[in-house]
Amino acid sequence: SKQDLFDTYLPAFEALVKEAKVESVMGAYNRVYGQPACASDLLTDILRNQWGFAGHFVSDCGALSDFHLHHKVTDTAPESAALAVKHSCDVNCGAVYLHILTAIQEGLLTEDDITPCVERLMATRMKLGMFDKDCPYDAIPYAVNDCAEHRAVAQEAARRSQVLLKNDGILPLDAKAKRRVAVIGPNADAIYQQLGDYTPPLREGAGVTVLNGLRAALQNSEIRFAEGCTVC
């Protein structure tokens, strides 16, 4: 319902746009009131006009090809490209925007339709210093992305994000006590599942699974692991 949309879903995004001043917003795959999320009137009416978002909007990967392949709201890739551009989707994570020239040739788009998207993207690149003689980001080595300081921040964020729903007195576990602990589930010893989708390749030895973490913390205990089932 509209009430659920405005009371439940949009407030967090509004706060990110107005208070956090995010530079980019990503659209989803689903449809909202019959319109694909990356070509929704919500982008222009609410995100741009009501909230005053001036940054760039990017589609989720493959979301624009969904227009003609799965949602069937368009028939061709040029039509999908035109629909997204006209709803202020600036960047396509995918290949649909390779058809923008065809969309222009077919009369589906004009250069005036594209200009606002290009201007927003160029503004972002300027903010990043990409056109400066000495871009500060060029001086940052790739290794900094996985430095000890960043790992410590990530670990602290992980600690603070955990929520204990119930404790019958068993926690905290006594590392010196001898006990038998059952660890059950296909994700208990799967490092990728601790991180989630869109995770880049990890350095060797990075990350700790639930099973290995318990084994390290409870060395006096007997840890038994059962996969239980597989993950599709």
Side-chain angles (χ1 to χ4, degrees), residues 155-166:
Q155 187 176 42
E156 181 63 18
R159 285 196 182 103
R160 294 192 180 191
S161 68
Q162 295 181 34
V163 177
L164 180 63
L165 299 180
K166 185 178 181 180

Side-chain angles (χ1 to χ4, degrees), residues 82 104 129 151 158 185:
I104 293 175
R151 292 198 294 270

Side-chain angles (χ1 to χ4, degrees), residues 45-64:
D45 296 347
I46 296 179
L47 181 65
R48 300 287 186 191
N49 297 336
Q50 292 187 30
W51 296 350
F53 177 65
H56 67 276
F57 183 94
V58 57
S59 76
D60 207 337
C61 295
L64 300 194

Side-chain angles (χ1 to χ4, degrees), residues 148-215:
E149 181 183 1
H150 290 184
R151 292 198 294 270
V153 172
Q155 187 176 42
E156 181 63 18
R159 285 196 182 103
R160 294 192 180 191
S161 68
Q162 295 181 34
V163 177
L164 180 63
L165 299 180
K166 185 178 181 180
N167 185 7
D168 290 330
I170 193 173
L171 298 178
L173 295 175
D174 185 354
K176 297 180 180 180
K178 293 184 178 181
R179 65 180 76 239
R180 296 170 66 188
V181 179
V183 182
I184 303 170
N187 293 334
D189 198 31
I191 187 61
Y192 188 82
Q193 300 303 330
Q194 316 302 312
L195 305 170
D197 206 356
Y198 297 96
T199 299
L202 298 178
R203 58 183 170 80
E204 186 176 352
V208 179
T209 66
V210 173
L211 179 62
N212 288 335
L214 287 171
R215 283 173 173 167

Side-chain angles (χ1 to χ4, degrees), residues 77-222:
E79 289 180 4
S80 296
L83 184 65
V85 168
K86 288 184 176 181
H87 283 84
S88 77
C89 179
D90 304 308
V91 184
N92 166 217
C93 179
V96 170
Y97 275 6
L98 296 176
H99 299 271
I100 283 181
L101 180 58
T102 303
I104 293 175
Q105 294 169 342
E106 293 179 355
L108 302 172
L109 279 176
T110 67
E111 288 189 29
D112 288 340
D113 293 324
I114 299 170
T115 296
C117 298
V118 176
E119 289 177 341
R120 286 189 287 263
L121 294 177
M122 286 299 173
T124 297
R125 296 182 68 185
M126 290 177 183
K127 291 177 182 178
L128 290 171
M130 294 178 68
F131 301 106
D132 297 344
K133 183 178 180 180
D134 297 311
C135 177
Y137 296 100
D138 290 340
I140 302 174
Y142 185 78
V144 172
N145 185 57
D146 191 27
C147 66
E149 181 183 1
H150 290 184
R151 292 198 294 270
V153 172
Q155 187 176 42
E156 181 63 18
R159 285 196 182 103
R160 294 192 180 191
S161 68
Q162 295 181 34
V163 177
L164 180 63
L165 299 180
K166 185 178 181 180
N167 185 7
D168 290 330
I170 193 173
L171 298 178
L173 295 175
D174 185 354
K176 297 180 180 180
K178 293 184 178 181
R179 65 180 76 239
R180 296 170 66 188
V181 179
V183 182
I184 303 170
N187 293 334
D189 198 31
I191 187 61
Y192 188 82
Q193 300 303 330
Q194 316 302 312
L195 305 170
D197 206 356
Y198 297 96
T199 299
L202 298 178
R203 58 183 170 80
E204 186 176 352
V208 179
T209 66
V210 173
L211 179 62
N212 288 335
L214 287 171
R215 283 173 173 167
L218 306 176
Q219 296 186 19
N220 291 329
S221 298
E222 178 185 354

